[in-house]
Amino acid sequence: MTTLSALLHPDAFLSPLAIDAATLRALDEDLGRAGDITSIATIPEDAKARAIMVARHAGVIAGLPLAFATLHRLAGDIEIAAHCRDGAQVEEGTHLLTIAGPARAILAAERTALNFVGRLSGIATLTADYVRRTAGTDLRICCTRKTTPGLRALEKYAVRCGGGFNHRFGLDDAILIKDNHIAVAGGIRPVLERARAHAGHLVTIEIEVDTLAQLREVLDTGLADVVLLDNMDIPTLSEAVTIAQGRVVLEASGGVTLESIAKIAATGVDYVSSGALTHSAPNFDIALDIEV
Amino acid sequence: MTTLSALLHPDAFLSPLAIDAATLRALDEDLGRAGDITSIATIPEDAKARAIMVARHAGVIAGLPLAFATLHRLAGDIEIAAHCRDGAQVEEGTHLLTIAGPARAILAAERTALNFVGRLSGIATLTADYVRRTAGTDLRICCTRKTTPGLRALEKYAVRCGGGFNHRFGLDDAILIKDNHIAVAGGIRPVLERARAHAGHLVTIEIEVDTLAQLREVLDTGLADVVLLDNMDIPTLSEAVTIAQGRVVLEASGGVTLESIAKIAATGVDYVSSGALTHSAPNFDIALDIEV
Amino acid sequence: MTTLSALLHPDAFLSPLAIDAATLRALDEDLGRAGDITSIATIPEDAKARAIMVARHAGVIAGLPLAFATLHRLAGDIEIAAHCRDGAQVEEGTHLLTIAGPARAILAAERTALNFVGRLSGIATLTADYVRRTAGTDLRICCTRKTTPGLRALEKYAVRCGGGFNHRFGLDDAILIKDNHIAVAGGIRPVLERARAHAGHLVTIEIEVDTLAQLREVLDTGLADVVLLDNMDIPTLSEAVTIAQGRVVLEASGGVTLESIAKIAATGVDYVSSGALTHSAPNFDIALDIEV
Amino acid sequence: MTTLSALLHPDAFLSPLAIDAATLRALDEDLGRAGDITSIATIPEDAKARAIMVARHAGVIAGLPLAFATLHRLAGDIEIAAHCRDGAQVEEGTHLLTIAGPARAILAAERTALNFVGRLSGIATLTADYVRRTAGTDLRICCTRKTTPGLRALEKYAVRCGGGFNHRFGLDDAILIKDNHIAVAGGIRPVLERARAHAGHLVTIEIEVDTLAQLREVLDTGLADVVLLDNMDIPTLSEAVTIAQGRVVLEASGGVTLESIAKIAATGVDYVSSGALTHSAPNFDIALDIEV
Amino acid sequence: MTTLSALLHPDAFLSPLAIDAATLRALDEDLGRAGDITSIATIPEDAKARAIMVARHAGVIAGLPLAFATLHRLAGDIEIAAHCRDGAQVEEGTHLLTIAGPARAILAAERTALNFVGRLSGIATLTADYVRRTAGTDLRICCTRKTTPGLRALEKYAVRCGGGFNHRFGLDDAILIKDNHIAVAGGIRPVLERARAHAGHLVTIEIEVDTLAQLREVLDTGLADVVLLDNMDIPTLSEAVTIAQGRVVLEASGGVTLESIAKIAATGVDYVSSGALTHSAPNFDIALDIEV
Amino acid sequence: MTTLSALLHPDAFLSPLAIDAATLRALDEDLGRAGDITSIATIPEDAKARAIMVARHAGVIAGLPLAFATLHRLAGDIEIAAHCRDGAQVEEGTHLLTIAGPARAILAAERTALNFVGRLSGIATLTADYVRRTAGTDLRICCTRKTTPGLRALEKYAVRCGGGFNHRFGLDDAILIKDNHIAVAGGIRPVLERARAHAGHLVTIEIEVDTLAQLREVLDTGLADVVLLDNMDIPTLSEAVTIAQGRVVLEASGGVTLESIAKIAATGVDYVSSGALTHSAPNFDIALDIEV
């Protein structure tokens, strides 16, 4: 028998508390007040079923622990055997899980379980597409805070499953100074000085710049850890790398597509961030083939 | 001053309780334990800001009440003036809201507010694209239960904002009999008889069929309200309409794309359902132009 | 050993999530902050008890899974053997459950467990009384939304256990048009047209009428699925059945008592709804005979 | 304009937190995911309504603050004028509240508001019936822990509104020693000694006895504050009063009916407790006459 | 293997529901959204660890069930062997628990588990210090409502583990009349009469007095169960005992220190209450020696 | 009239969501099911009170927004005027807030409000004591994760109010490598390499060392941002500063007392962390002088 933790990606964290909360909420909205009235009406109480969760196309899987928890919430006596775990690269037709137990419970959990795996595998797969195109370089792909409201921890986990990295999980993770902050504080040096004065020693400071002149100004202060190069074209990014000489970590954002990513990697920036990884990943098509 | 209810679509329901719960959860995950440490460090406590929420491309807007509630949760003294409401067709550059209040609160709420409007407007816009291509026909477009876990009520609302209709909100809304149920019950007639015997008078009964032979069998029983024609090609759908002669409502699913939708409409089926409306709608790009 | 699901009525749904939430809330209000101070003070920690849950009079049982969950929340090592399950018709003195485990936990759970079974069995028993008096007819008895606030799913389940059917679980289950809606919309035809235009294909439309003239008007439109005949006397109900000729489902409400129910059944209406099933069912007297 | 606190009984407590939690839960179960689809479909968004909450028979009212909070949760701009407050003795036709505001919100809140007032007024009215029959005596009527799971605080409040008193709110309120505790501890004196040794100075100790011999044994110890005389007939109760000579508070339980209550009062016992006040009170019939 | 209940103090109550809620909240705030990123990065997924929880100084232990529950929430396959239970008097170096299981889970739970045991053992130890100094007398030490917000049930439990007693758990436990209440009601007799008239038979009435004259006035009424002697010096307390002659329970508060407690005990008052037990107990130093 | 946000420290964050949750929980545990039965019994419903919150000794205040929110939860019509805000240095007798409103509500909120301000001001005051003793140096004082379970965000905020800084809010804030991690990974270089490989660009890496040899080893890798010097004496700390030459941030922990802090500051380390700030701060004595 597989356990929930054996389905988690070995190097990415997803809290058991988050799994509990997410599956409770999702089942609650699907069961409503009267539950799966179709199965109650048509399937005998003691009918057993066997189901196989199958990938309908190639990609990277994420979300199996949520499927596991969803199924177990509806019946204590469900048995799940795993054929892969989160982070696995699969082909069309790959079996993910084999499930055996009460037919009504499996049918009631089906859609919720698939919704989790479909959404998170979609994100993992898109992330892996980006990562694959930068193979052999040091570029790291990371997501942003443009996540589905209420699902951030899950979606950030899916990005890790796809081989990506995470930017801030929230506003409190790091300081990220943008144009408004610079304007109010009266310039790049004063804003960085205020940030340093306020921040403790475990808080990283990143600042967004639009021009190479701004980049130079940041470098002169020696007060930033990371510089976000916003919407710069490829030649400008290359020049930024030359200017920075490794004194700060460089992150590029804007105009990141599957087409442009290899070129961005070639400039030598350290990180690329893209909101599309989480907010516009297409669903991964997963099926549950059930035999009652 | 605009009120929250003036931002809601006039003919679609979104519970104030759901708005409360969703914005609480979303802000909680973004603020974390230490909050917007960037703005605390760099923006004076008494600084005021003015912000305009702008559509970056054309489409249909949904989610403004959630943006409203998000902003108000972070500061009591924020003033919001609406230039449109949910369901509005907008162009690139259309102003949606004008916001005035404490700079720190507006900056802290920005991403969460945009995440709501971006996701829901994406769904509304994709739905409206489908609806537009069937203009002049009686076909109704509806979504499925393939929604983001935990956000179903919001996403179903966004489909309404785009001019679509809702299929089941959950397993308890209606009986939807699929192949497994038919197999276990021993055929179409017995499964429909069991469903009718179990269901109360307010429960609609829908049954999924793969062939016209099955459709005829369903019609013979006179026990179904709706028939789901699964993955049929256009000629078969047309024949199904001819066979049914209006005795049941016909819903087509499978192979529904922006390209095929007009042809499906021409067959005369009553409804088309598509999971893509909710699970694969691209994000709508919304900006918050802030002037501190 | 009995499992929770073996105590549920085989054909009625009660969500494991609802059971969790209800027992948590109920135990929380009974244990308070300091718990069962009587048993802590007077019963040794390692004392074991054996208890039998007994029906003190004849009737139909509902709520045993809630008793089961209540007991298990207070001690992991409680053993429960079931002698019947929800929906069982019992006599005075029938043993329902035999419970063995830590004395303190059983004593602490006693009242909460009994409160669940007493209330729900009261509803099931009253429902069964109605059902019994209509034996041999096609009349179905259903409850309304007049339920105890916060307990609707449990009480609707109890009605099923008693052999009844459920009307709407909430405002979102079906459209039920009453006099105010008719008045605002400008009459029966316009209100039904608006309802049809708004509602998706899985939403049933019911309309309440006070007179046979109104019934005829509804039938003329062909737009309603169900007609609620409000407060009509027996002869009028009979005439309504004659008029409707099976074109709509007919539901009678108002003046429904154990005395009148057989006469209503004889009129040929399809459904009778009564708020009293849930809001005024007397408690079923259940005892827990404990031997420490 | 009336405020919520002006609707509360002046001398009984109902926490604003409890009101929040109860109305949230009740509305949530009635609105479901799709809300009041009837009113959305048939009532224009800007329609206003005026409604009067009316008592359909005589009795004592409780629950108006819950109706108030329910209405306000659905619309900020509802105005409520109170004609009475909780604890009021009303006649058939008495106006309780006048409500003005958005028609959709009032219609959506109607059933939930009435369910609260109907249930709690039912309890208050039954309690007042008991109290009235003991007028001129010192007997106090109190409820038990036989309350609806999850609604205890509300139901205990309703008992106060009807002029009754409250027994324990939970297991932690006071020590109540029953036969099992006595048996395990090895008799009346040892159980009371253990209770005294364990309990702090603010914990009252009550012990249940079945016979006058037991009563004498309790009195001899001088360790109990209250004695519960369980299921004794009228002459025995009288004798118990004679024996006790005011050394303990005497509470009678068992066989308490509207018929027997005056006789019990005449025996001179101090308190009578009855589970029926909360678990079997019939619903109070309240109407909301709405004019859109 | 040890169970949770075997770690609880045998004569003090801590609800399993409270343990669940407290450990969920505490882990949630420590794991945040991204979890224990250090262990994920540096400890292999399948590494096992063995840990011993050790007392770093002498004292009384409380909170082991919370450590147990914290560890089990993070991994199902953790094994815990207990060497003592709550209420145990330990020496420097005493082993409390031996823990074996997944290294990552043990490291992630470490701080939360220690925070519980450290805080509660601090309270138990301080309480036991007071209790020890009054050995051989009848004085009972009790805590107040000056507890950490949100942790009252846990802290009151810790006081019991240390041999102390509990004063009110909340405002609803007993009536405690202070100067403001006396002033508003117009004096000691009227306020006690109002309290008696309002309170049921299970509610204890305590009144706070500043002077012996007030004490006499209270005694004259015969209406109070307990008198709180506020801030009286030792001779005055002795005189109060003489005056009261056992007619009421006497509680002293104010100026209670480890130095003064024996003298207070010698006066013959029944109870001493001190907020310092809960609000100013120093942390107990507990270590978790881990061997991965 | 003062608003909640005007009471917050101008440069420290406390989420309105956290304030809501904490005050709800705290009031819930104090009001219980029956509420402030003393005030209900003895204070007329319409009595008004005026109260002044006063510091009973000198120190730094924190927690006023929680007092504000507590009071407002119990009555809408309370008026609060602030005489200072969080972070204020006050003297014995300084007035903090003046409160006017319904007497019952103010009395019911009193203890909860004081518990918040007492605990948080205790932490702020102790922190400020440390900060004061390092005046004129660059040393920064920070707290740890040794906080009261469930109150971390509040206690970390109080440390900021006292002039301190925050270490990690949770396990997910930064990587902090300790001896176990080093041992498992096979040494300082491998553990740092694994941490760098895993961590994104916004994650700070800190490593704990016990010896100067270890410090040198860390410096050689160039992979750590911060080094925690654990339990080193003053001369060793000085030598560490000499060795590090500003290449990493240095944090000292262990043996930090009000006596030793100035000497630690003199060594030139950048940060000192101490669990005592949060886990052993004595309560700050605050009074609420009420005049009804």
Side-chain angles (χ1 to χ4, degrees), chain B residues 11-14 123 127 131 140-145 147 151-170 173-174 206 251 271-274 277-278, chain C residues 172 197-203, chain D residues 33-35 37 40:
Chain B
D11 295 321
F13 179 83
L14 189 56
I123 292 172
T127 303
V131 170
R140 286 174 160 190
I141 315 292
C142 68
C143 55
T144 68
R145 284 165 49 243
T147 54
L151 289 194
R152 185 166 292 163
L154 275 60
E155 295 187 346
K156 294 256 171 185
Y157 166 79
V159 167
R160 295 290 305 216
C161 290
F165 282 77
N166 298 142
H167 206 280
R168 293 193 293 176
F169 271 73
D173 263 11
E206 179 169 12
E251 173 187 337
Y271 279 83
V272 149
S273 59
S274 165
L277 293 187
T278 48
Chain C
D172 61 334
H198 181 270
H201 54 317
L202 300 176
V203 176
Chain D
R33 293 153 302 204
I37 53 177
I40 292 269

Side-chain angles (χ1 to χ4, degrees), chain D residues 185-259:
Chain D
I188 282 175
R189 178 172 292 274
V191 84
L192 283 168
E193 283 172 350
R194 287 173 75 157
R196 274 286 163 225
H198 181 271
H201 55 318
L202 301 176
V203 176
T204 303
I205 295 178
E206 178 169 12
I207 185 165
E208 181 181 308
V209 302
D210 298 317
T211 65
L212 296 178
Q214 282 183 310
L215 170 62
R216 285 193 190 91
E217 204 177 337
V218 169
L219 291 169
D220 284 351
T221 67
L223 293 170
D225 300 303
V226 185
V227 176
L228 176 59
L229 307 166
D230 190 37
N231 268 321
M232 293 184 179
D233 59 19
I234 301 294
T236 313
L237 287 177
S238 294
E239 201 175 338
V241 173
T242 307
I243 292 167
Q245 290 181 292
R247 285 173 290 170
V248 292
V249 174
L250 291 178
E251 173 188 337
S253 79
V256 181
T257 64
L258 286 170
E259 287 63 44

